[in-house]
Amino acid sequence: MSDNGKGLSEVLSKHEADLQADWIKEQTAGSARRTGAIKEVELRDQCKEFLGLVIEALQGGGDLDVRGPRWNPVRDLLANLSRSRGLQGFTPSETASFVFSLKKPLFARIRRDLSKDGEAMAEATLAATVLLDGLGLYTTEVHQKAREEIIARQQQEMLELSTPVVTLWEGILALPMIGTLDSARTQVVMESLLQKIVDTASSIAIIDITGVPTVDTLTAQHLLKTVTAARLMGAECIISGIRPQIAQTIVHLGVDLGDVTTKASLADALAVALERTGRAVRRVRAGS
Amino acid sequence: MVVSKDEIMEIRASDHVVLVRQAVRKWSTELGFGLVDQTKIITAASELARNTLDYGGGGTVRLEAVESGGRRGLRLIFEDQGPGIVDLEKALTDGYTTGKGMGMGLSGSKRLVNEFDIVSRVGEGTRVTITRWK
Ligand SMILES: Nc1ncnc2c1ncn2[C@@H]1O[C@H](COP(=O)(O)OP(=O)(O)OP(=O)(O)O)[C@@H](O)[C@H]1O
Ligand SMILES: [Mg+2]
């Protein structure tokens, strides 16, 4: 199978310019509707570069293993293309159609050039199929991977976004926790709280768990660790937002929050914090 | 006892523990559980799902909406093919852990439900069945 790509290579080289034109037409018509989003010029450059690189890769032997080193430049081009199309919201099949839409014009040339030699035609067609299928699948893979990277990054961003430490008053911090206290998030939360305690020289930190749906032994353990670490930094913690059903459940579960002050609401916790720091809130006139 | 609905969920990663909690929340809401009963069975499910994952090496939970003598309830069956528990009595003692936990999961979830049954064979696995009636 060593000269598998030879016939194909010849057809490609001979008709490079025509193929490019037909291929672009193929992509801007019907099937690949989304190409409207890509500038014609850009598409022409991509097609031209792709054909050039494929011809180069096929030269000096018909190595059709698109995973091999010979195909590195072609794969790099496709990887860039997949990524940028992925970011523009193309589906994997829309992205892969860049490669697959070359089949029709290419098969037409192969048929025309090699019709007199059945065997050569079959071989070149097979080579073209193997090659384009391999490269098409590769774009899908990259596309998929790029999407996964985006999702992973968004998750990471959410981890950070969802744990804001706010200063309620001079020396009083609040950490409104929302969602599941799994290990990865708790780590982030704990670090940002401790950092803020140091930065602001705060003496009280209120951890509000109104937005935490379930408090089980693992959650409790995470909370207690945070409280202990905060203490080592010189701050006392108050846990607020323990809803009645959670309070009951914790008691039955047998979890002991130790000597940590707990309050039903963030407002109650703030009142305690103000008092402990020698302040009081006073009504200055009758309100509604 | 009649099982009117059932479903099996995988417990192979910590994300699955979250999914189990969400499913138990949905099922207990559908069964008309009050907020406290809901919270109790969700918390017990969270404990047992994590034990299945951490100590049982992963497994499954079977959710069953059950009915008996005019009462409706939710039954959860956690199963794994892990190492099993050598000393069940110890494992069910408050504060006993072979890991880094508080050792409150098993004994605590027992207190959170109406029926609790555990079968464990060393080298074969563990099955914990809990039921909470409405
Ligand atoms: N499915 C299981 N397979 C094997 N061993 C188990 C299983 N479930 C629990 N155990 C054993 O029983 C012990 C007690 O479990 P329990 O859930 O009470 O505490 P923990 O998981 O160690 O800590 P916590 O649940 O409080 O975070 C565990 O440390 C473990 O050795
Ligand atoms: Mg446990």
Side-chain angles (χ1 to χ4, degrees):
Chain A
M1 299 265 279
S2 68
D3 61 346
N4 222 345
K6 194 160 164 278
L8 172 64
S9 169
E10 279 166 14
V11 173
L12 276 169
S13 314
K14 194 168 148 206
H15 301 291
E16 191 175 350
D18 292 347
L19 270 173
Q20 190 191 317
D22 286 358
W23 183 22
I24 291 172
K25 229 177 271 161
E26 198 67 38
Q27 291 180 76
T28 41
S31 62
R33 269 167 290 127
R34 292 296 296 261
T35 31
I38 298 174
K39 286 176 238 84
E40 281 264 2
V41 193
E42 196 185 332
L43 183 62
R44 200 175 317 133
D45 286 349
Q46 288 168 340
C47 292
K48 188 169 179 219
E49 198 186 343
F50 179 83
L51 283 175
L53 290 174
V54 167
I55 289 167
E56 219 175 287
L58 280 170
Q59 235 134 50
D63 182 5
L64 294 175
D65 176 17
V66 298
R67 310 260 150 193
R70 183 181 283 277
W71 292 90
N72 280 348
V74 178
R75 284 206 313 274
D76 287 348
L77 168 76
L78 288 178
N80 284 334
L81 185 125
S82 295
R83 270 171 215 287
S84 81
R85 290 192 176 193
L87 283 175
Q88 292 171 57
F90 281 69
T91 66
S93 49
E94 281 168 339
T95 302
S97 75
F98 172 77
V99 174
F100 292 137
S101 57
L102 178 57
K103 274 190 180 177
K104 211 169 132 192
L106 182 56
F107 287 174
R109 306 280 152 171
I110 292 174
R111 212 176 308 126
R112 208 185 305 157
D113 277 24
L114 301 173
S115 61
K116 287 186 204 82
D117 184 348
E119 203 174 309
M121 183 168 91
E123 206 162 281
T125 308
L126 179 63
T129 307
V130 168
L131 184 64
L132 294 183
D133 285 354
L135 293 173
L137 283 177
Y138 177 72
T139 62
T140 315
E141 252 169 58
V142 176
H143 189 280
Q144 188 66 25
K145 222 179 272 161
R147 300 291 285 191
E148 278 162 16
E149 280 164 17
I150 292 173
I151 292 169
R153 203 185 53 233
Q154 284 172 342
Q155 275 174 344
Q156 192 56 38
E157 280 165 3
M158 265 173 58
L159 276 185
E160 285 154 16
L161 270 180
S162 56
T163 55
V165 184
V166 292
T167 302
L168 285 186
W169 211 271
E170 199 193 319
I172 303 173
L173 296 177
L175 177 68
M177 307 272 323
I178 293 165
T180 305
L181 286 187
D182 56 28
S183 302
R185 244 192 98 204
T186 314
Q187 191 62 29
V188 176
V189 170
M190 195 149 118
E191 277 162 21
S192 58
L193 178 66
L194 296 180
Q195 189 58 50
K196 196 80 184 257
I197 288 173
V198 174
D199 292 348
T200 59
S202 291
S203 59
I204 295 189
I206 302 170
I207 303 172
D208 186 79
I209 59 167
T210 309
V212 178
T214 312
V215 179
D216 59 7
T217 57
L218 189 67
T219 315
Q221 208 180 15
H222 284 325
L223 283 172
L224 289 173
K225 272 188 193 154
T226 308
V227 169
T228 308
R231 250 179 212 158
L232 291 173
M233 314 300 312
E236 273 307 306
C237 287
I238 301 174
I239 298 177
S240 70
I242 302 182
R243 286 156 290 152
Q245 66 271 26
I246 300 246
Q248 269 199 51
T249 303
I250 295 179
V251 170
H252 280 95
L253 195 55
V255 165
D256 186 6
L257 288 180
D259 52 355
V260 185
T261 309
T262 56
K263 286 286 155 200
S265 71
L266 184 57
D268 291 345
L270 178 60
V272 170
L274 287 171
E275 194 194 312
R276 280 199 196 157
T277 52
R279 304 178 180 104
V281 178
R282 183 169 57 88
R283 191 190 287 275
V284 291
R285 62 179 163 79
S288 50
Chain B
M1 181 148 36
V2 185
V3 178
S4 57
K5 187 178 156 195
D6 72 290
E7 186 187 330
I8 291 182
M9 296 177 77
E10 295 275 323
I11 305 170
R12 307 269 170 215
S14 63
D15 284 358
H16 296 167
V17 177
V18 180
L19 294 179
V20 169
R21 282 202 298 262
Q22 284 170 356
V24 173
R25 183 181 304 278
K26 186 163 164 268
W27 283 53
S28 55
T29 311
E30 279 168 11
L31 283 165
F33 277 36
L35 210 47
V36 173
D37 285 348
Q38 264 185 46
T39 310
K40 284 182 176 173
I41 187 132
I42 293 166
T43 309
S46 184
E47 295 299 338
L48 298 174
R50 189 160 313 97
N51 281 355
T52 301
L53 181 66
D54 288 351
Y55 302 109
T60 55
V61 58
R62 182 189 180 88
L63 295 88
E64 293 181 349
V66 291
E67 218 177 302
S68 172
R71 285 189 308 175
R72 296 206 293 171
L74 182 54
R75 184 159 66 180
L76 307 173
I77 305 155
F78 296 84
E79 223 164 356
D80 65 63
Q81 275 74 51
I85 300 173
V86 182
D87 190 338
L88 263 184
E89 203 180 314
K90 257 194 197 161
L92 279 162
T93 308
D94 280 356
Y96 176 82
T97 177
T98 56
K100 290 188 207 119
M102 298 180 111
M104 299 303 292
L106 272 183
S107 49
S109 35
K110 189 173 177 184
R111 285 187 290 266
L112 289 172
V113 295
N114 301 114
E115 286 162 31
F116 181 97
D117 179 60
I118 180 164
V119 181
S120 189
R121 286 199 189 84
V122 175
E124 286 180 35
T126 304
R127 185 177 66 227
V128 184
T129 307
I130 56 171
T131 313
R132 175 105 208 158
W133 297 102
K134 200 195 150 189

